Amino acid sequence: MDRGQVEALIDKAVSGDLRSISKLISIVEFPAEADPHIIEAIMRNLMGRGGRAHVIGVTGSPGVGKSTLISKMISEFRRKQYRVAVIGIDPSSPFTLGSFMGNRIRMQIHSSDPGVFIRSMATRGVRGGLSASTVMVIEALDGLGFDKIIVESVGAGQTDVDIINISHTILNLLMPGAGDEIQALKAGLMEIGDIYVVNKGDKPEADLTLKQVIDVLSYEGFERETGWRPRAIKVSAVMGTGVEELCGIIEEHLEYLRRGGYFRDVVVKRRIYGAQIVLRHILESRVDEIFRGEGSFIVKMLANGEIDPFTASIKILDRLLGR
Ligand SMILES: Nc1nc2c(ncn2[C@@H]2O[C@H](COP(=O)(O)OP(=O)(O)O)[C@@H](O)[C@H]2O)c(=O)[nH]1
Ligand SMILES: [Mg+2]
């Protein structure tokens, strides 16, 4: 693809053409496989327009109802004329193929809406965190003018930490009877969210769970760095109840960030944190390459006990950096 074709593709994507958006996203999703100059040209164009999207991270255990709720949130946001993008993060393990298919099916009703873009991506990140692809796709979608970018996370470990670091607003989903999770929250073992959502509110135990969450959140020390006091709400994603109110609270949080001047801070933090994720990803694959090369001089020295792991690492790093 030459520069002219890239410019034409960007123009069409920026004007909202879903097919062009999809094509463009597929290019930046695998940046290492494309010509770096093309990636740079695309991203310079898009990032010049970006910094405006509201990024919403949705976390919670598998089966808590993230995909179902996101589908309802899309409808609510569309009613307000927002353009919405959703990134579903799936671990690349074959065991989760079910959840991968499930996500798609649950959001399928939006597939004919030109204001909605949905993409499922694997986590191939270092340490199980977000992949370089996800970071690049978020920046691209922001530049393409989406108002809301919703990121559905697997809800565990490093991926969640990454999601928190790149989102403006974090929704933490729980379901009735989530006793262990409430204990974890109480003990400070659960990552802090901006809005705690007790889903499956159609079940009778939901009220008790909501009460427990509200109780824990009333403790000292549950404010976010911005001073925002986390909110709690009961919804039923299946019935659609509480979703309008939830989206209202999401908007309140956005307003809070804007008023306090925090919105831009999150964008800056996201870009810097994102670059660290991508750099780790690149370094990790370079490290793999080096040690796959059994014939490499340093690997041979290591094997013969002629060099220690630390000195070997410094030498490898020097070589990588061309020193
Ligand atoms: N009763 C009830 N079931 C729900 C609700 N939301 C989701 N579910 C069901 O919970 C299961 C998992 O939902 P899904 O959205 O795939 O969860 P995810 O793994 O967190 O994305 C599905 O069978 C949904 O139909 C709800 O509000 N009430
Ligand atoms: Mg899901």
Side-chain angles (χ1 to χ4, degrees):
M1 194 178 268
D2 66 33
R3 210 153 265 239
Q5 288 169 312
V6 170
E7 292 300 329
L9 182 62
I10 294 173
D11 283 347
K12 280 183 85 178
V14 166
S15 77
D17 176 54
L18 271 190
R19 193 188 286 262
S20 305
I21 291 172
S22 190
K23 249 190 188 162
L24 205 58
I25 293 299
S26 298
I27 297 173
V28 302
E29 189 176 352
F30 302 106
E33 289 166 24
D35 175 350
H37 298 294
I38 296 280
I39 297 291
E40 191 184 351
I42 293 173
M43 295 309 287
R44 186 184 301 135
N45 185 318
L46 293 182
M47 290 188 67
R49 305 164 192 268
R52 293 196 307 218
H54 180 198
V55 179
I56 304 167
V58 179
T59 80
S61 327
V64 75
K66 297 179 294 296
S67 301
T68 313
L69 180 64
I70 289 169
S71 181
K72 296 289 161 73
M73 284 165 58
I74 297 173
S75 307
E76 186 58 28
F77 285 141
R78 289 299 292 144
R79 234 167 36 88
K80 295 181 182 158
Q81 314 292 323
Y82 291 134
R83 287 175 65 216
V84 186
V86 180
I87 303 174
I89 314 271
D90 277 289
S92 28
S93 141
F95 296 110
T96 56
L97 203 62
S99 94
F100 182 82
M101 298 305 288
N103 287 347
R104 301 191 79 149
I105 290 160
R106 277 184 249 300
M107 295 181 200
Q108 216 162 35
I109 55 158
H110 301 289
S111 62
S112 57
D113 180 347
V116 179
F117 178 82
I118 298 171
R119 177 68 59 106
S120 276
M121 306 179 75
T123 48
R124 274 160 315 180
V126 189
R127 307 159 297 141
L130 279 192
S131 64
S133 302
T134 312
V135 170
M136 294 296 283
V137 168
I138 290 172
E139 294 305 332
L141 290 170
D142 182 6
L144 286 168
F146 286 93
D147 301 292
K148 305 286 180 192
I149 300 174
I150 305 175
V151 186
E152 175 179 342
S153 147
V154 280
Q158 188 59 40
T159 311
D160 261 7
V161 175
D162 286 351
I163 297 274
I164 289 166
N165 278 314
I166 59 147
S167 300
H168 289 100
T169 303
I170 291 290
L171 266 55
N172 222 316
L173 264 66
L174 300 160
M175 54 186 163
D180 288 352
E181 268 139 321
I182 288 165
Q183 288 309 318
L185 184 63
K186 215 182 262 183
L189 295 172
M190 191 192 243
E191 295 296 343
I192 292 182
D194 298 300
I195 305 168
Y196 287 84
V197 183
V198 176
N199 186 34
K200 312 203 179 181
D202 47 287
K203 296 196 173 182
E205 319 89 275
D207 285 316
L208 178 63
T209 306
L210 178 68
K211 206 170 149 288
Q212 290 170 327
V213 173
I214 291 173
D215 184 43
V216 175
L217 293 181
S218 70
Y219 297 173
E220 285 300 315
F222 269 92
E223 302 85 12
R224 305 301 315 264
E225 278 171 39
T226 58
W228 168 265
R229 259 210 164 289
R231 300 273 291 271
I233 180 175
K234 182 183 87 167
V235 304
S236 168
V238 161
M239 315 292 281
T241 52
V243 178
E244 191 180 343
E245 195 190 335
L246 169 63
C247 289
I249 299 174
I250 293 172
E251 294 295 82
E252 254 182 71
H253 184 246
L254 173 62
E255 247 333 283
Y256 182 91
L257 293 179
R258 286 219 173 104
R259 260 201 324 270
Y262 300 115
F263 185 87
R264 177 78 195 163
D265 292 351
V266 176
V267 174
V268 169
K269 187 173 86 172
R270 179 187 84 212
R271 289 174 173 169
I272 294 171
Y273 191 80
Q276 292 174 40
I277 292 176
V278 177
L279 180 59
R280 281 204 186 91
H281 192 75
I282 293 171
L283 284 178
E284 185 97 339
S285 46
R286 295 290 280 277
V287 168
D288 287 347
E289 273 167 35
I290 287 164
F291 285 93
R292 256 201 308 274
E294 286 278 327
S296 116
F297 183 60
I298 291 171
V299 172
K300 269 188 191 142
M301 283 177 76
L302 260 171
N304 294 334
E306 290 159 4
I307 196 170
D308 67 279
F310 176 78
T311 311
S313 301
I314 297 294
K315 284 190 188 301
I316 289 168
L317 198 58
D318 281 349
R319 213 180 54 196
L320 279 182
L321 298 175
R323 289 199 291 230

